[in-house]
Amino acid sequence: MAEQFNYNSLFSANSRDTAPGNVRHSKYDFAVAYPDPANLPLEELIESVRAGFEREGRDLAYYSSPSGDPELRKLVAEKLARERNMNVTADDMVLTSGSGEAIGILIQALTDPGDVVLVEEFVYLGTLNQMRRYGADVVGVKCDDDGIIPEDLDSVITEQIGKGNNVKYLYTIPAFQNPLGWTMSLERRKQVLEVTGKHGIPIFEDDCYADLRFEGEDVTSFHSLDDTGRVVYAGSFSKIIAPGMRMGYLVAPKPVIARAWSFKSGGAVSQFTALAIAELMKGGLEHHIEVQNRALAAKRDAMVAALGENFGSAVEWTVPQGGLYCWVKFPEGTDLAAVQEEIFQEGVSYYNGSQFSPTGEGSNYVRLCFGHPSVETIHEGVAEFARILDRKKVFPG
Ligand SMILES: Cc1ncc(COP(=O)(O)O)c(C=O)c1O
């Protein structure tokens, strides 16, 4: 084979070795936050593509509006007004390649190396990674079952300001938090708004799980509780249709969008996908979400039952009213990070708590995702997980 050209001396100073790895699946996959392939609305999507093409297919000959399909933005704005009480129009948002891109460009627009950014004490690792990548000093705030603890938030901010640090924003996942599973109560949201307001700090609300409620009452969005433009908001179609759609959105005041936009590359999002989603929103999306949530409720029940059957009282877990995750606590000192790869090789995958922690603490926790496997697989997989932990004597059960 010919000697390969060497780029090493040519890479820019900002580039990093971050080649996308392949996602690895195990037999019992409780790690990935994917929907169940069996429940995707494929027929409805095929019909939506057809309807979208009949309506506007020939417009694919042009580059679409830089902010993304106006019709889809209008439909999203109407949904947010209806369901999240948000006073927004199509002009207040841009479509992004999943909410991951919305998060990435907003972080870049608001973060200089060394800035402090606040997050819940355990937080979605995609966001954590992006914050670290742009040099943020990520600081966790303590939480309980109602969400962020306002007193801790206040003292963390005061301490950071006291050290002369620049506290830039609070990033929160208030509905079915990833990985903790709770939904922040209305009272807490008001308190968190008050505390951050006192210090002049904006809130970045990542609401990608809001539609995945299968029990209890919705809590209104942070965005709806503020009329000063201090809350920016990201949403996604990944959890209500599929991550492969790569469609999300960022809602923010125009100057913030303008700054974030300067980091977007590749132009507008795919108009092909936008057409399909717009048609699905006019047709079967709501019904699909209801069907999916019924399936998720059964899977949550299966996971909770299986944990009860296979783990003793030394282990505790949350019972979320929506979303995709049970957060499981093992006795202090248990190290589920050390055995994660071995257990993956034996067929069970999970993420351990330290992966979600700004400080790297929490390896006695695991996040188990019940969205992807079937009810039967959940029962088998949790039993297998317990057997492996027992055999390896990972903790005194
Ligand atoms: C809290 C949270 N935000 C954002 C994302 C990114 O999702 P996507 O880019 O597919 O919209 C995820 C994915 O798991 C998530 O859990």
Side-chain angles (χ1 to χ4, degrees):
M1 194 169 88
E3 191 180 337
Q4 297 297 292
F5 186 76
N6 188 341
Y7 287 87
N8 284 344
S9 62
L10 302 174
F11 289 130
S12 73
N14 287 334
S15 67
R16 280 156 206 239
D17 201 3
T18 51
N22 287 329
V23 177
R24 303 184 308 161
H25 289 289
S26 61
K27 180 169 178 196
Y28 300 112
D29 194 341
F30 301 127
V32 293
Y34 297 158
D36 187 341
N39 292 340
L40 292 195
L42 285 191
E43 290 305 321
E44 293 86 340
L45 271 173
I46 292 167
E47 276 316 304
S48 301
V49 171
R50 178 182 298 283
F53 271 34
E54 277 167 7
R55 177 166 59 84
E56 275 184 36
R58 294 197 189 281
D59 287 352
L60 291 177
Y62 311 109
Y63 287 104
S64 60
S65 150
S67 310
D69 184 38
E71 164 128 48
L72 179 55
R73 281 188 284 123
K74 178 168 158 285
L75 289 164
V76 172
E78 286 166 4
K79 179 171 161 58
L80 294 176
R82 210 170 46 238
E83 296 170 10
R84 308 302 293 141
N85 305 316
M86 289 167 57
N87 183 14
V88 287
T89 70
D91 291 339
D92 301 311
M93 89 179 64
V94 286
L95 301 179
T96 52
S97 171
S99 54
E101 185 179 45
I103 295 167
I105 60 176
L106 194 80
I107 288 173
Q108 288 178 81
L110 292 179
T111 320
D112 284 313
D115 284 345
V116 168
V117 300
L118 306 173
V119 297
E120 284 124 5
E121 59 186 317
F122 292 99
V123 67
Y124 167 53
L125 62 135
T127 299
L128 196 53
N129 288 339
Q130 299 231 44
M131 289 172 165
R132 286 175 171 152
R133 180 168 172 199
Y134 297 108
D137 181 3
V138 189
V139 177
V141 179
K142 291 218 163 42
C143 302
D144 62 16
D145 293 347
D146 282 332
I148 289 176
I149 301 174
E151 295 75 20
D152 193 62
L153 177 64
D154 199 15
S155 64
V156 168
I157 298 174
T158 308
E159 186 192 331
Q160 291 296 334
I161 293 174
K163 287 186 193 165
N165 288 334
N166 206 3
V167 183
K168 278 294 184 68
Y169 51 92
L170 166 70
Y171 167 85
T172 173
I173 309 163
F176 311 118
Q177 208 267 6
N178 177 8
L180 298 168
W182 46 249
T183 291
M184 206 179 310
S185 67
L186 179 59
E187 186 57 25
R188 283 292 174 85
R189 290 179 197 229
K190 289 181 179 164
Q191 291 169 321
V192 166
L193 268 167
E194 197 183 311
V195 171
T196 48
K198 187 172 85 179
H199 296 286
I201 293 170
I203 293 177
F204 181 11
E205 175 173 29
D206 180 349
D207 214 18
C208 68
Y209 295 104
D211 283 302
L212 270 53
R213 177 175 285 285
F214 40 78
E215 249 172 46
E217 293 295 313
D218 272 340
V219 182
T220 195
S221 62
F222 265 108
H223 191 283
S224 68
L225 298 170
D226 163 77
D227 57 8
T228 69
R230 191 160 58 82
V231 179
V232 295
Y233 183 97
S236 177
F237 287 96
S238 291
K239 311 299 172 187
I240 53 174
I241 306 178
M245 304 302 285
R246 302 316 302 130
M247 188 66 77
Y249 42 91
L250 176 65
V251 178
K254 288 193 177 55
V256 179
I257 287 190
R259 289 291 176 128
W261 202 247
S262 68
F263 295 100
K264 177 143 175 43
S265 57
V269 294
S270 157
Q271 179 65 7
F272 180 100
T273 313
L275 282 177
I277 295 182
E279 291 301 323
L280 193 65
M281 286 188 82
K282 291 191 250 169
L285 183 60
E286 266 179 41
H287 176 67
H288 168 65
I289 293 172
E290 280 167 27
V291 172
Q292 177 180 274
N293 282 349
R294 274 200 294 279
L296 282 176
K299 289 168 182 232
R300 189 274 321 261
D301 289 346
M303 182 158 277
V304 168
L307 287 165
E309 284 154 21
N310 293 285
F311 288 95
S313 57
V315 180
E316 295 164 27
W317 50 88
T318 57
V319 183
Q321 295 189 319
L324 302 175
Y325 314 109
C326 286
W327 180 241
V328 185
K329 182 179 182 200
F330 289 80
E332 291 298 332
T334 311
D335 190 352
L336 288 138
V339 290
Q340 188 161 322
E341 178 60 27
E342 285 167 44
I343 294 181
F344 174 86
Q345 296 301 338
E346 295 203 29
V348 179
S349 55
Y350 58 83
Y351 286 131
N352 80 86
S354 71
Q355 293 173 282
F356 303 98
S357 160
T359 56
E361 286 161 285
S363 51
N364 61 318
Y365 291 89
V366 296
R367 185 194 78 176
L368 298 182
C369 177
F370 49 79
H372 183 255
S374 66
V375 162
E376 198 186 3
T377 309
I378 291 172
H379 277 288
E380 282 174 23
V382 172
E384 179 66 5
F385 186 35
R387 272 195 296 274
I388 297 172
L389 292 176
D390 195 37
R391 178 159 39 77
K392 290 183 179 296
K393 307 216 176 321
V394 175
F395 71 102

